Amino acid sequence: LPTEFDWREHGAVGPVKDQGSCGSCWSFSTSGALEGANYLATGKLEVLSEQQLVDCDHECDPSEPRACDAGCNGGLMTTAFSYLAKAGGLETEKDYPYTGRNSACKFDKSKIAAQVKNFSTVAIDEDQIAANLVKHGPLAIGINAVFMQTYIGGVSCPYICGRHLDHGVLLVGYGSAGYAPLRFKEKPYWIIKNSWGENWGESGYYKICRGPHVKNKCGVDSMVSTVTAIHTS
Amino acid sequence: LEDPLIEQVVGGDAENELELNAEAHFASFVRRFGKSYRDADEHAHRLSVFRDNLRRARRHQRLDPSAVHGITKFSDLTPDEFRERFLGLRKSRRSFLKGISGSAHDAPALPTDG
């Protein structure tokens, strides 16, 4: 495993977006993971649509039939991957632009830009998470966002943080040590792409500590999924 | 949440300044994030939420000293409003694990040494 890794340096991460006042974080996490997988499969970075997931994905979780993806009212990345595998794939942002509101499905199969080959869920093991990140590209993850409402920058490593998950984001890399302004201590961290615009956090990104002494901080290791895209020439 | 044993002591006057100048901070927050409120009552309500969030940011700073916490574009929202409008992960981790334990989607273990 490399001591540090960042998919942004390899061109596999699209621009930071803003979900607006809509509980669609799960669609940004899903599209971001597929963008990275599609980049690995085709060598092209296509910026993909979240609105198609908001409007068209009402897939339910096999283990919990009442838990279905519901646009601005919430969803889950693994059921979104299931929807994409069944629907055929995801259009580009350009062809199916984001509005931040639930609306009728306007999916056009002829405009599919990325197709899901399969998806997997990773065990709660930071080495396995790092290995899957390096191998499969950015990962869709859940996190507890309680400290993110007031976060401005640095490496977040709260003494106490709940592990019930309420936000979906994209894990794009990891660093070996980040300078912690108030603590003068170096902390290894995950690099997380959020969907609250570039005027939040560190240009839209969040860093949270990782490592054997702080495992699964804010639940960051406990809902991790990878997706692989169908290779097209 | 009891105060952590080791407490980063940020300059006391900085904390009092935040409280004393909440209105000035709120005015610059409104300008910076282009906020607008329907009427004077809403403005007053948002100012009181903002003041609570200043205290919340200070508490977060104490609990999370290796990051920087403060005024963000969400500083005029209560924690509930923030959760309802800007999150959206639908299921708890527990049911997620129930869904995946032994499921066809478990990722195979990858080599991580060497």
Side-chain angles (χ1 to χ4, degrees):
Chain A
L1 280 174
T3 49
E4 302 198 327
F5 196 83
D6 188 342
W7 276 112
R8 295 177 293 183
E9 295 162 5
H10 302 270
V13 182
V16 169
K17 299 180 180 178
D18 193 336
Q19 68 188 73
S21 187
C22 162
S24 55
C25 64
W26 56 280
S27 67
F28 288 81
S29 177
T30 302
S31 66
L34 187 53
E35 279 172 3
N38 193 52
Y39 170 79
L40 291 187
T42 66
K44 269 178 60 186
L45 182 66
E46 291 275 11
V47 179
L48 299 173
S49 169
E50 290 80 27
Q51 196 63 39
Q52 178 192 327
L53 293 167
V54 169
D55 293 347
C56 311
D57 169 10
H58 302 296
E59 184 80 7
C60 300
D61 182 89
S63 69
E64 203 161 341
R66 278 176 299 111
C68 310
D69 291 344
C72 288
N73 302 313
L76 184 70
M77 292 72 92
T78 43
T79 37
F81 291 142
S82 290
Y83 155 76
L84 289 171
K86 291 173 186 171
L90 192 54
E91 293 186 46
T92 61
E93 174 74 41
K94 189 159 57 68
D95 287 337
Y96 203 141
Y98 187 69
T99 65
R101 288 185 309 278
N102 292 332
S103 40
C105 179
K106 297 172 279 298
F107 175 50
D108 178 347
K109 224 175 169 64
S110 69
K111 291 180 178 171
I112 285 175
Q115 297 171 278
V116 169
K117 186 173 165 188
N118 61 35
F119 66 92
S120 306
T121 46
V122 181
I124 307 181
D125 173 317
E126 294 204 337
D127 281 349
Q128 286 302 311
I129 292 169
N132 276 274
L133 176 77
V134 173
K135 184 176 171 77
H136 297 299
L139 304 177
I141 65 169
I143 193 167
N144 179 306
V146 66
F147 281 86
M148 296 172 76
Q149 184 177 1
T150 59
Y151 173 79
I152 288 177
V155 174
S156 183
C157 198
Y159 295 118
I160 304 162
C161 186
R163 288 183 175 169
H164 62 279
L165 308 175
D166 53 16
H167 191 37
V169 286
L170 187 72
L171 182 63
V172 300
Y174 57 88
S176 57
Y179 180 65
L182 287 171
R183 216 64 179 147
F184 310 109
K185 259 189 190 163
E186 301 285 296
K187 285 180 185 289
Y189 55 90
W190 295 117
I191 304 169
I192 288 172
K193 180 186 179 187
N194 200 357
S195 48
W196 293 342
E198 291 186 335
N199 65 346
W200 175 87
E202 293 194 356
S203 305
Y205 283 82
Y206 181 59
K207 289 179 194 163
I208 188 165
C209 57
R210 66 184 177 92
H213 309 296
V214 292
K215 234 178 326 193
N216 200 18
K217 187 61 78 176
C218 301
V220 71
D221 300 341
S222 54
M223 182 191 274
V224 179
S225 44
T226 83
V227 65
T228 47
I230 289 176
H231 188 105
T232 56
S233 54
Chain B
L1 296 171
E2 71 280 354
D3 268 356
L5 293 178
I6 303 167
E7 186 174 323
Q8 180 71 26
V9 181
V10 178
D13 48 348
E15 301 184 6
N16 299 332
E17 187 274 339
L18 266 186
E19 289 279 337
L20 294 174
N21 294 296
E23 294 206 25
H25 287 295
F26 186 60
S28 73
F29 162 83
V30 166
R31 273 195 309 278
R32 179 175 156 208
F33 292 107
K35 299 284 184 175
S36 63
Y37 303 112
R38 114 182 123 252
D39 54 29
D41 285 353
E42 172 68 5
H43 188 278
H45 169 61
R46 290 300 156 192
L47 171 56
S48 77
V49 170
F50 180 82
R51 207 189 294 274
D52 291 346
N53 282 331
L54 288 181
R55 282 192 281 272
R56 181 170 291 106
R58 196 167 62 216
R59 193 163 61 244
H60 284 181
Q61 190 62 69
R62 282 183 174 156
L63 283 170
D64 183 15
S66 57
V68 179
H69 288 272
I71 295 167
T72 69
K73 62 183 182 180
F74 303 120
S75 292
D76 62 344
L77 299 177
T78 65
D80 284 349
E81 287 169 330
F82 168 70
R83 260 194 302 274
E84 277 153 29
R85 299 185 202 176
F86 293 94
L87 301 186
L89 191 67
R90 194 170 172 75
K91 277 192 355 180
S92 69
R93 170 180 166 282
R94 200 174 307 108
S95 49
F96 175 78
L97 277 184
K98 193 177 72 186
I100 63 163
S101 51
S103 85
H105 294 294
D106 286 353
L110 296 175
T112 58
D113 47 357

